[in-house]
């Protein structure tokens, strides 16, 4: 876990945190980082948002080697944020939960050289080179935190979870150098099949698309001359250049257009959305948040929770929070919810703190309660202790509560739980609850804990008090003493060139060592392009007219390079000639 004490990490997010084993990064991985970062510094100066360019300079992220997440954490702490290491692709609720808490989740892996232009898998280049620098901008931070809060509370569906698992598998397969084209194709097919099962767009789908077309792939400024702020573009050596060309359609940003436009993580995007400013983004997604269940509440939000078949929290107008899986909703003749039940472990909370005696051990089989006003337009949560007594709601006294909906609660008041001076739970013994001709609760079932609340004001994914609701698995702390990996011969050549570059002295022996490396490349590694670019850079710095320069250029300019590699070589040579 990474942290410097400035940001508290919620307990339910800690299981997703991993460790950065810095010494295990190979010389090739450091070279991949260096190549992309040098490209970013050179090419993005004119086409990226100034907040990114300035952040790249001020964030402390170095070009020469992969950053340590603890150093990034220290840098982000200056603006009230932090950084945590995670293990690859994590569930959306956890990812957004980190952002909502002002924590940037960083996957510590780094893409292999075959995917240097772009990878669908989260990696250090995407998180550190893409997300972190621009977070130093205050308006942008506000936007990311707000969309994180929305994503953490957005209701999803079980079909969406299947899509997540399929996408996670695809990113692993796509990044694994041992994967065959057939395996990648099979993984892509799994994603396609999982997506076919999704019916309609859940809230999490909508937030996911908003996040993709803004935080990941957003453009900003004038429609006919935008600049980049999306991390997916900023960390893609190829797409950061191609995205501004005319064949990529530019669309004025709107929440509606973004949420109805799907995306494909495996391909360059055919269209991008252009917003006017970060402040405009904040205002527009805030309007969208008003349509979500966590702000809207009511029957419609309860129904959304029912379709998720997953943990959700229902908030009553009294402030009481019920966390569980909605299993059933009863409605009146107008279609309004008057009673709902959860199935399985359920907990009651107030102000995001679980109430004593109302955890999952008490409500392990579920929970049911009416919603609404009593006849006479009486709102129970607005009643004082005296008013409750006038209604006959007195401990150890029998009472009949007739709701406007037709729900009837009849029993002996066992206890009343108050928040300040207003009730939030009334518990009954010897209780019967009915609605029309249905018996909802029988005396033999024990205590009936009735939630007090005339309406549902909010419904959101997850638990009100996740640290108590969920069983948090303690992760075994793994020490730093992992074996130093053995490097291949090629990695050894990269390391030798790196040492030559960083040496304090350059002399004839340096030239001789470099020539040995180049001879080995020509003999055994004819298609090793990145190390040749690094060697070319050294010659330019120290011996620009050396005969080996033409020798290297002859290999790099040959016609049979794969198209993406040819593009990367071209970028490298442009930078070489530009410096």
């Amino acid at each position: 876990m990474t942290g410097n004490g400035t940001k508290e990490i919620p307990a339910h997010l800690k299981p997703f945190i991993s460790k950065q084993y810095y010494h295990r990064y190979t010389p090739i991985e450091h070279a991949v980082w260096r190549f992309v970062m040098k490209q970013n510094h050179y090419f993005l100066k004119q086409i990226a948002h100034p907040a990114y360019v300035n952040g790249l300079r001020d964030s402390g992220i170095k070009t020469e080697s992969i950053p340590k997440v603890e150093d990034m954490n220290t840098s982000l702490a200056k603006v009230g944020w932090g950084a945590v290491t995670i293990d690859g692709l994590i569930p959306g609720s956890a990812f957004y939960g980190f952002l909502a808490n002002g924590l940037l989740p960083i996957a510590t892996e780094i893409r292999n050289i075959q995917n240097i232009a772009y990878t669908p898998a989260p990696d250090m280049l995407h998180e550190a080179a893409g997300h972190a620098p621009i977070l130093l901008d205050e308006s942008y931070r506000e936007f990311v935190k707000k969309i994180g809060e929305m994503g953490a509370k957005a209701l999803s569906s079980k079909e969406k979870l299947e899509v997540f698992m399929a996408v996670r598998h695809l990113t692993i397969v796509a990044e694994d150098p041992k994967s065959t084209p057939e395996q990648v194709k099979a993984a892509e097919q799994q994603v396609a099949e999982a997506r076919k099962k999704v019916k309609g767009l859940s809230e999490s789908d909508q937030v996911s698309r908003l996040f993709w077309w803004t935080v990941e792939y957003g453009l900003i400024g004038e429609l006919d001359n935008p600049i980049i702020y999306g991390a997916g573009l900023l960390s893609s050596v190829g797409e950061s250049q191609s995205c501004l060309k005319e064949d990529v359609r530019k669309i004025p940003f709107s929440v509606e257009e973004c949420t109805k436009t799907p995306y494909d993580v495996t391909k360059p995007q055919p269209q991008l959305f252009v917003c006017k400013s970060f402040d405009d983004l904040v205002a527009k997604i805030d309007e969208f948040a008003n349509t979500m269940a966590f702000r809207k509440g009511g029957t419609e939000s309860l129904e959304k929770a029912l379709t998720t078949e997953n943990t959700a929290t229902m908030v009553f107008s009294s402030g009481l929070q019920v966390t569980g899986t909605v299993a059933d909703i009863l409605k009146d003749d107008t279609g309004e919810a008057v009673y709902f039940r959860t199935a399985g472990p359920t907990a009651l909370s107030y102000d995001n703190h679980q109430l004593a005696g109302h955890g999952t051990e008490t409500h392990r089989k579920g929970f049911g309660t009416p919603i609404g006003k009593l006849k006479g337009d009486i709102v129970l949560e607005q009643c004082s202790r005296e008013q409750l007594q006038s209604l006959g709601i007195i401990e150890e006294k029998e009472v009949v509560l007739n709701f406007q909906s037709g729900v009837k609660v009849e029993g002996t008041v066992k206890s009343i739980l108050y928040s300040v001076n207003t009730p939030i739970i009334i518990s009954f013994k010897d209780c019967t609850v009915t609605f029309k001709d249905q018996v909802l609760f029988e005396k033999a079932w024990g205590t009936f804990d009735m939630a007090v609340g005339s309406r549902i004001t909010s419904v959101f994914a997850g638990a009100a008090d996740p640290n108590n609701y969920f069983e948090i698995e303690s992760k075994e702390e793994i020490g730093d003493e992992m074996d130093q990996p053995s490097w291949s011969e090629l990695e050894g050549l990269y390391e030798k060139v790196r040492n030559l570059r960083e040496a304090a002295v350059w002399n004839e022996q340096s030239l001789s060592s470099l020539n040995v490396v180049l001879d080995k490349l020509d003999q055994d590694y004819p298609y090793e392009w990145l190390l040749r670019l690094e060697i070319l850079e050294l010659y330019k710095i120290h011996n620009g007219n050396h005969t080996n320069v033409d020798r290297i250029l002859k290999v790099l300019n040959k016609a049979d390079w794969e198209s993406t590699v040819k593009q990367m070589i071209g970028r490298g040579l442009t930078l070489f000639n530009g410096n």
Side-chain angles (χ1 to χ4, degrees), residues 373-401:
K373 300 177 183 179
L374 297 182
K375 286 184 177 180
D377 214 31
I378 296 169
V379 179
L380 274 177
E381 67 267 26
Q382 295 177 1
C383 291
S384 64
R385 295 171 190 259
E386 292 75 18
Q387 289 171 320
L388 288 181
Q389 289 177 359
S390 69
L391 293 170
I393 305 175
I394 303 168
E395 290 185 11
E396 299 302 325
K397 298 290 185 182
E398 291 185 15
V399 68
V400 177
L401 302 183

Side-chain angles (χ1 to χ4, degrees), residues 233-247:
L233 295 172
L234 294 169
S235 61
S236 171
V237 181
E239 209 166 354
S240 62
Q241 304 293 307
S242 62
C243 72
L244 296 178
K245 294 180 179 177
E246 290 185 2
D247 59 340

Side-chain angles (χ1 to χ4, degrees), residues 325-330 339-343 367-369 438-441:
T325 302
V326 178
D328 191 22
I329 303 171
L330 301 182
Y339 194 98
F340 75 87
R341 296 189 188 94
T342 62
F367 179 82
T369 190
Q438 299 181 60
V439 177
L440 307 179
F441 193 90

Side-chain angles (χ1 to χ4, degrees), residues 36-214:
V36 175
M37 291 304 293
K38 285 177 75 70
Q39 293 283 315
N40 281 4
H41 277 283
Y42 184 79
F43 285 108
L44 296 179
K45 287 182 287 188
Q46 304 301 323
I47 61 174
H49 192 283
Y52 176 79
V53 178
N54 296 337
L56 204 57
R57 181 192 66 223
D58 300 336
S59 63
I61 297 173
K62 297 174 182 176
T63 298
E64 292 300 312
S65 57
I66 297 167
K68 292 182 178 179
V69 177
E70 61 191 45
D71 293 339
M72 294 177 60
N73 188 53
T74 301
S75 176
L76 288 172
K78 298 172 187 175
V79 294
W81 272 58
V84 293
T85 52
I86 60 166
D87 186 14
L89 200 62
I90 61 176
S93 58
F95 176 79
Y96 290 121
F98 280 118
L99 295 180
N101 283 278
L103 293 161
L104 177 64
I106 297 177
T108 55
E109 295 84 1
I110 188 161
R111 67 194 64 178
N112 60 51
I113 194 168
Q114 288 79 18
N115 295 333
I116 193 169
Y118 171 76
T119 175
D123 78 331
M124 281 292 291
L125 273 164
H126 178 78
E127 317 290 10
H131 284 296
I134 200 168
L135 279 172
L136 297 180
D137 181 86
E138 184 177 359
S139 296
Y140 183 76
R141 282 198 308 279
E142 182 186 354
F143 168 65
V144 173
K145 195 165 187 178
K146 188 173 286 290
I147 204 168
E149 291 166 351
M150 291 165 56
K153 292 186 173 182
L155 295 169
S156 187
S157 64
K158 62 176 183 177
E159 290 83 9
K160 183 65 179 177
L161 178 60
E162 291 175 5
V163 172
F164 165 77
M165 296 304 293
V167 170
R168 188 176 193 277
H169 175 65
L170 171 60
T171 60
I172 293 170
V173 171
E175 188 57 27
D176 187 347
K178 297 178 182 178
S179 296
T180 64
E182 291 76 19
Q183 288 173 319
V184 174
K185 188 174 181 180
E188 290 174 343
Q189 185 62 32
Q190 278 185 302
V191 173
E193 291 298 323
R195 283 181 172 150
K196 286 179 184 176
K197 297 178 185 177
V198 176
K199 300 169 186 176
L201 285 178
S202 68
E203 288 184 347
S204 66
D205 291 325
Q206 292 176 302
V207 174
S208 176
R209 289 181 178 184
L210 269 177
F211 190 88
W212 181 267
W213 295 122
T214 57

